[in-house]
């Protein structure tokens, strides 16, 4: 492949030149900051750079001169083993190199096009899309990545079981791909390295203390049962530890394939416990982050054999002692105070002879993963009669509905934090492909078309009749009967947000796209009961399910189920309500007019000087939600919630044209210049 990076080669040579372009580039770089645009390089320099980028790609698991199996399946090139494949590999490696050079910033196609010749444009698209949607670039927790989250979900819905590294990595990636996502976590907190986990949780809807008992899946979707609550979605990602799968505490309906059950049983799941201690100061030495201790007795050789100093990463004087093997099992049946006494005795035996005093810890915690019902162990391993292929089998999805992630599904990096994280990225890519690859789908992809009634529902809740915490209510204004039914919406960013609303309206700073909005039908008396429940949002949610027996639904499903009620309330709330207005410019025959659209299906023209109605125009069968006027003042347009747009003559009300547009376009309608020639 010739120069993939120099746009200089594409420039026409001028007959004469009074300056050196490379010197000019260097000067501009110094004045404006470092630039990614590359100056002309010699063939030797380009070969050296290509080799360097190939080594970076190799370190990331890509072969130097071949395609991954996943790339072949994705048809990244039209012909294998030819010039196009070689060119693709160079472009791919270049993109990976650019991403690795600054993993804190979003790498766009535009940036790649600045450094790769235009003739390789198709390969840029192919390589970039493969790397992006397979989790090789643009992942992480840096603030710039949040800005790339789409405002509306355009893909399917996914339930993720487990808020560990695998689950949260997948959740963030799926949200970036445009999926609707919720995470169910059995504990009252997420799991893993706290500083990383805290960043991964940002913007992800997580429901805590939701232990899953069953998962149903078929061609129509999935249902996840937790206690007396049922969650529905298109797909489910299970990230629970291997120990939980071994115990069969989650019932899969239908049962998992036999080969997956065998892989679960054959793989080993070991036990590694820890004693984490916070000391007043770092007595073991600021420069020491790891040290070990040998035991005289073979039966205790796994007890406190290794110590990790976390003072360089935790911000405190934290020391963690590891316990493995048989010692880890007996560890689970020993009182924490006894365990702490033993580990301090070992530390004082190490440092006492050196004249170093070992103080008592300020705080200590002992893990007991073997008896934890949400883990039943620590890490997977290949034991007798199992093999690495069992990791691959465990990672296989079932019917493009049920997916699996976690360290025990990562053959290359099992029993590691990064293995769990990477498995989450992997499965997010698998879920994305399952919705896109029509040739391999076993079920039709659900339409992402926006339901008409959902638009008016969203607008109704802009002005709720009752609101407390994250709960909002809209009722029929003409019916004050306590038993009359209305609409309820609860906006959830995470279960912690629900727990701490203290009964007040939560004016959260988080954007709408980071909130999960759920809906149900509720009576006035039920809404009043809900308001009186003490304990905040979490208690109210429990009351909603257990006492009132109500089920929450997503926007599109609720818009279908409650369509007639939504329309009725909207009509009665807005018979005299103006939902859209704009100015009609003055013409040689008329002064400036105010154009309004109402829920009574009419478009009205008003004289703003004397506040009088000039005329009423009709022509729509449903409520008017948007209006726009042409700059000439002679024609205007009105749109109803069925996405029907009528272009009409302002003076005569004669129809000039009728158009259709997506609902999202209708609500922000501006006069389409394409109908300019239709104007009088």
């Amino acid at each position: 492949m010739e120069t993939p990076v120099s746009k200089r080669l594409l420039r026409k040579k001028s007959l004469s030149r009074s300056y050196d372009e490379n010197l000019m580039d260097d000067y501009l770089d110094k004045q404006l900051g470092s630039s990614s645009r590359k100056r002309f390089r010699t063939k030797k320099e380009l070969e050296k750079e290509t080799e360097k980028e190939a080594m970076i790609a190799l370190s990331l698991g890509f072969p130097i001169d071949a395609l991954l199996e996943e790339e072949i399946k994705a048809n990244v090139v039209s012909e294998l083993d030819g010039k196009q494949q070689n060119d693709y590999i160079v472009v791919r490696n270049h993109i990976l190199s650019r991403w690795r050079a600054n993993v804190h910033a979003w790498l766009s196609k535009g940036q790649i096009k600045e450094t790769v010749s235009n003739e390789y444009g198709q390969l840029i698209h192919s390589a970039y899309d493969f790397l992006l949607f397979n989790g090789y670039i643009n992942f992480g927790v840096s603030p710039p990545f949040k800005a790339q989250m789409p405002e509306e979900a355009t893909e399917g819905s996914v339930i993720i079981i487990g808020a560990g590294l695998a689950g949260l990595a997948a959740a963030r990636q799926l949200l970036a791909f445009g999926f609707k996502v919720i995470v169910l976590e059995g504990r009252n907190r997420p799991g893993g390295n706290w500083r990383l986990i805290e960043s991964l949780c940002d913007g992800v809807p997580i429901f805590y203390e939701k232990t899953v008992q069953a998962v149903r899946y078929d061609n129509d979707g999935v249902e996840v049962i937790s206690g007396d609550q049922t969650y529905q979605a298109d797909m489910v990602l299970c990230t629970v530890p291997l120990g939980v799968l071994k115990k069969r505490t989650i019932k899969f309906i239908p049962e998992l394939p036999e080969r997956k059950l065998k892989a679960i049983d054959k793989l080993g799941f070991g036990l590694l416990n820890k004693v984490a201690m916070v000391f007043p100061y770092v007595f073991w030495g600021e420069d020491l982050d790891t040290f070990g201790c040998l035991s005289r007795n073979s039966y205790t050789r796994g007890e406190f054999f290794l110590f990790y100093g976390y003072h360089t990463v935790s911000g405190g004087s934290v020391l963690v002692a590891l316990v493995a093997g048989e010692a880890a099992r007996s560890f689970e049946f020993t009182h924490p105070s006894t365990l702490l006494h033993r580990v301090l005795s070992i530390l004082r035996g190490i440092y006492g002879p050196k004249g170093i005093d070992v103080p008592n810890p300020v705080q200590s915690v002992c893990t007991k993963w073997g008896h934890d019902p949400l883990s039943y162990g620590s890490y997977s391993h290949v034991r007798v009669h199992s093999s690495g292929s069992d990791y691959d089998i465990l990672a296989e999805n079932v019917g493009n509905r049920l997916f699996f992630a976690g360290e025990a599904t990562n053959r290359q990096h099992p029993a590691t934090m990064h293995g769990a994280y990477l498995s989450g990225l992997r499965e997010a890519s698998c879920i994305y492909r399952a919705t896109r690859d029509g040739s391999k789908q076993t079920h039709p992809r659900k339409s992402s078309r926006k339901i008409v009634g959902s638009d008016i529902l969203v607008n109704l809740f802009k002005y709720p009749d009752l609101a407390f915490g994250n709960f909002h209510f809209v009722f029929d204004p003409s019916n004050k009967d306590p038993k009359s039914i209305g609409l309820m919406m609860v906006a959830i960013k995470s279960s912690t947000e629900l727990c701490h609303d203290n009964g007040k309206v939560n004016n959260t700073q988080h954007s709408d796209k980071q909130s999960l909005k759920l809906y149900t039908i509720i009576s006035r008396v039920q809404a009043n009961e809900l308001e009186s429940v003490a304990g905040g949002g979490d208690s109210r949610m429990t009351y909603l399910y257990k006492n009132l027996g109500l089920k929450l639904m997503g926007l599109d499903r609720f818009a279908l189920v409650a369509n007639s009620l939504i329309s009725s309330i909207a009509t009665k709330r807005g018979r005299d309500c103006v939902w859209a207005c704009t100015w009609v410019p003055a013409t040689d025959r008329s002064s400036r007019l105010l154009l309004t659209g109402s829920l009574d299906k009419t478009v009205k023209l008003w004289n703003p000087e004397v506040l009088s109605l000039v005329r009423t125009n009709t022509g729509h069968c449903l409520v008017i939600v948007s209006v726009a006027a042409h700059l000439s003042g002679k024609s205007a347009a009105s749109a109803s919630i069925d996405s029907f747009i009528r272009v009409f003559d302002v003076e005569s009300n004669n129809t000039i044209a009728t158009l259709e547009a997506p609902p999202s376009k209708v609500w922000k309608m501006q006069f389409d210049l394409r109908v300019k020639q239709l104007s009088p």
Side-chain angles (χ1 to χ4, degrees):
M1 175 180 177
E2 63 172 322
T3 312
V5 294
S6 178
K7 285 193 172 183
R8 298 290 189 214
L9 296 182
L10 301 179
R11 290 186 179 180
K12 293 182 179 179
K13 293 183 178 179
S14 59
L15 295 177
S16 63
R17 185 171 60 190
S18 59
Y19 66 93
D20 186 310
E21 284 188 331
N22 289 336
L23 291 177
M24 183 61 72
D25 283 346
D26 292 340
Y27 172 77
L28 290 174
D29 285 351
K30 290 178 181 178
Q31 297 298 316
L32 302 177
S34 177
S35 171
S36 60
R37 186 177 287 113
K38 299 182 180 181
R39 60 180 175 82
F40 178 81
R41 286 171 168 77
T42 65
K43 183 178 180 180
K44 185 175 182 180
E45 288 176 324
L46 289 170
E47 289 177 350
K48 184 176 180 181
E49 182 174 316
T50 301
E51 290 177 2
K52 177 182 176 182
E53 291 176 347
M55 295 308 296
I56 291 174
L58 182 65
S59 71
L60 298 174
F62 288 84
I64 291 179
D65 55 358
L67 300 178
L68 291 175
E69 183 179 345
E70 291 83 354
E71 289 178 296
I72 296 174
K73 291 179 180 179
N75 296 316
V76 294
V77 294
S78 58
E79 184 179 351
L80 297 176
D81 301 323
K83 181 179 183 300
Q84 186 188 43
Q85 176 175 312
N86 292 335
D87 291 348
Y88 168 87
I89 290 172
V90 175
V91 172
R92 177 200 70 190
N93 295 349
H94 177 63
I95 295 173
L96 288 168
S97 179
R98 286 287 304 276
W99 160 245
R100 296 293 290 181
N102 184 8
V103 297
H104 300 290
W106 183 271
L107 179 64
S108 67
K109 282 183 184 177
Q111 292 171 293
I112 301 303
K113 290 177 180 178
E114 288 181 355
T115 56
V116 178
S117 175
N118 288 334
E119 64 180 292
Y120 303 109
Q122 184 59 42
L123 295 181
I124 292 174
H125 287 288
S126 181
Y128 182 91
D129 288 346
F130 174 82
L131 296 174
L132 176 67
F133 291 109
N134 284 274
Y136 290 106
I137 62 172
N138 292 338
F139 63 86
V141 296
S142 293
F145 298 159
K146 185 181 287 188
Q148 302 297 324
M149 295 286 187
E151 293 188 4
E152 291 186 7
T154 56
E155 303 295 335
S157 54
V158 182
I159 297 170
I160 297 177
I161 305 173
L165 281 170
L168 294 174
R172 288 181 67 89
Q173 195 80 332
L174 289 169
L175 288 170
F177 291 166
F179 285 83
K180 297 177 183 177
V181 177
I182 64 168
V183 180
L184 305 180
E185 169 57 46
R187 305 184 195 279
N188 60 2
R189 55 170 177 77
N193 181 286
W194 177 243
R195 297 175 73 178
L196 175 58
I197 285 291
E198 186 178 25
S199 298
L200 287 172
C201 287
D202 187 23
V204 177
I206 306 173
F207 294 83
Y208 295 109
E209 298 181 334
K210 302 297 179 186
T211 302
V212 172
Q213 286 85 37
V215 175
R216 294 192 183 98
Y217 61 99
D218 57 30
N219 288 340
D220 294 325
V222 300
E223 287 187 345
V224 178
I225 296 115
S226 174
D228 57 356
Q229 299 173 14
T230 300
Y231 301 84
Q232 296 178 331
D234 296 325
M235 289 160 281
V236 59
L237 172 60
C238 180
T239 71
V240 300
L242 176 60
V244 174
L245 295 176
K246 283 179 171 291
K247 289 285 187 178
R248 309 291 200 268
T249 57
I250 297 178
K251 183 175 179 61
F252 292 95
I253 307 169
E255 184 58 273
L256 297 176
E258 186 64 27
R259 62 190 258 109
K260 188 178 286 287
L261 292 174
K262 287 182 178 179
I264 290 171
D265 292 336
K266 287 195 295 183
L267 279 171
F269 198 58
L271 186 60
L272 181 71
N273 277 313
K274 302 175 182 178
V275 178
M277 299 162 284
V278 181
F279 288 94
Y281 54 88
V282 181
F283 65 84
W284 58 92
E286 294 286 350
D287 298 331
L288 189 64
D289 57 11
T290 308
F291 59 93
C293 177
L294 296 176
S295 174
R296 294 178 181 275
N297 303 312
S298 60
Y299 64 88
T300 60
R301 65 182 179 180
E303 185 177 75
F304 312 124
F305 68 100
L306 190 64
F307 292 84
Y308 283 121
Y310 279 70
H311 55 289
T312 58
V313 295
S314 67
S317 305
V318 179
L319 189 65
V320 176
L322 304 187
V323 184
E326 289 301 320
R329 303 189 186 283
S330 61
F331 180 97
E332 303 242 335
F333 299 95
T334 307
H335 195 276
S337 61
T338 303
L339 296 171
L340 181 61
H341 175 74
R342 287 182 189 172
V343 71
L344 288 175
S345 297
I346 291 174
L347 287 171
R348 286 164 180 158
I350 295 173
Y351 287 97
K354 299 178 182 180
I356 299 175
D357 179 56
V358 177
N360 288 325
V362 177
Q363 189 177 3
S364 64
V365 176
C366 299
T367 66
K368 295 190 177 183
W369 297 118
H371 284 78
D372 188 328
L374 298 178
S375 62
Y376 291 114
S378 303
Y379 305 106
S380 65
H381 63 88
V382 177
R383 67 180 180 186
V384 178
H385 303 306
S386 66
S387 68
S389 62
D390 291 320
Y391 284 98
D392 295 333
I393 295 172
L394 191 54
E396 293 174 352
N397 78 74
V398 183
N400 280 350
R401 290 295 186 189
L402 174 58
F403 296 78
F404 291 84
E407 59 84 15
T409 69
N410 194 322
R411 183 175 185 170
Q412 286 73 35
H413 308 283
T416 62
M417 289 174 56
H418 60 275
Y421 182 88
L422 292 173
S423 74
L425 298 182
R426 179 200 68 216
E427 289 310 302
S429 301
C430 291
I431 290 170
Y432 178 81
R433 288 196 301 273
T435 64
R436 293 281 172 164
D437 191 357
S439 63
K440 295 182 179 179
Q441 278 182 276
T442 59
H443 56 85
R445 183 184 171 202
K446 290 191 175 181
S447 170
S448 60
R449 179 181 63 84
K450 196 165 186 176
I451 296 173
V452 171
S454 64
D455 282 318
I456 197 167
L457 179 63
V458 170
N459 279 272
L460 280 174
F461 279 102
K462 289 181 179 179
Y463 308 99
D465 296 312
L466 175 65
F468 49 83
N470 289 36
F471 298 82
H472 301 77
F473 304 83
V474 173
F475 296 102
D476 181 349
S478 65
N479 190 347
K480 302 298 182 181
D481 186 340
K483 295 183 180 179
S484 64
I485 59 174
L487 314 171
M488 188 199 85
M489 177 192 76
V490 55
I492 305 168
K493 178 178 180 290
S494 67
S495 61
T496 53
E497 182 177 299
L498 279 173
C499 292
H500 303 298
D501 59 39
N502 296 320
K504 300 178 181 178
V505 176
N506 185 357
N507 294 318
T508 176
Q509 296 298 313
H510 300 288
S511 65
D512 286 345
K513 67 184 180 182
Q514 295 174 352
S515 297
L516 176 69
K517 294 181 175 64
L518 300 174
Y519 303 82
T520 192
I521 296 173
I522 194 169
S523 69
R524 288 180 181 271
V525 67
Q526 287 174 326
N528 292 332
E529 285 181 35
L530 199 60
E531 185 179 18
S532 65
V533 173
D538 197 46
S539 298
R540 288 184 177 124
M541 288 291 281
T542 301
Y543 189 88
L544 187 78
Y545 293 125
K546 291 186 176 181
N547 297 70
L548 301 182
L550 299 179
K551 291 185 177 181
L552 297 174
M553 289 171 270
L555 175 64
D556 288 351
R557 180 173 176 81
F558 185 69
L560 287 173
V561 171
N563 185 267
S564 59
L565 179 60
I566 294 168
S567 300
S568 175
I569 292 177
T571 301
K572 292 176 182 178
R573 279 187 105 199
R575 287 192 186 279
D576 301 317
C577 175
V578 173
W579 274 50
C581 65
T582 191
W583 289 105
V584 179
T587 66
D588 54 355
R589 301 181 59 180
S590 173
S591 60
R592 187 174 68 156
L593 299 173
L594 180 65
L595 176 66
T596 63
S598 305
L599 294 183
D600 60 1
K601 311 173 189 176
T602 63
V603 176
K604 296 181 175 69
L605 288 160
W606 305 80
N607 184 333
E609 303 297 332
V610 294
L611 299 178
S612 63
L613 180 64
V614 176
R615 72 180 63 88
T616 298
N617 293 351
T618 59
H620 286 276
C621 298
L622 295 175
V623 296
I624 310 300
V625 295
S626 186
V627 291
H630 192 268
L631 294 175
S632 68
K634 296 180 180 180
S635 56
S638 54
S640 49
I641 62 172
D642 57 355
S643 302
F644 172 77
I645 300 175
R646 176 176 173 264
V647 183
F648 59 91
D649 180 83
V650 172
E651 185 174 351
S652 66
N653 189 33
N654 291 330
T655 299
I656 298 173
T658 58
L659 308 168
E660 290 187 10
S664 59
K665 300 292 185 183
V666 165
W667 285 93
K668 299 178 180 179
M669 186 178 69
Q670 295 180 347
F671 203 93
D672 194 334
L673 295 179
R674 290 176 298 176
V675 302
K676 184 175 182 180
Q677 62 265 36
L678 299 175
S679 302

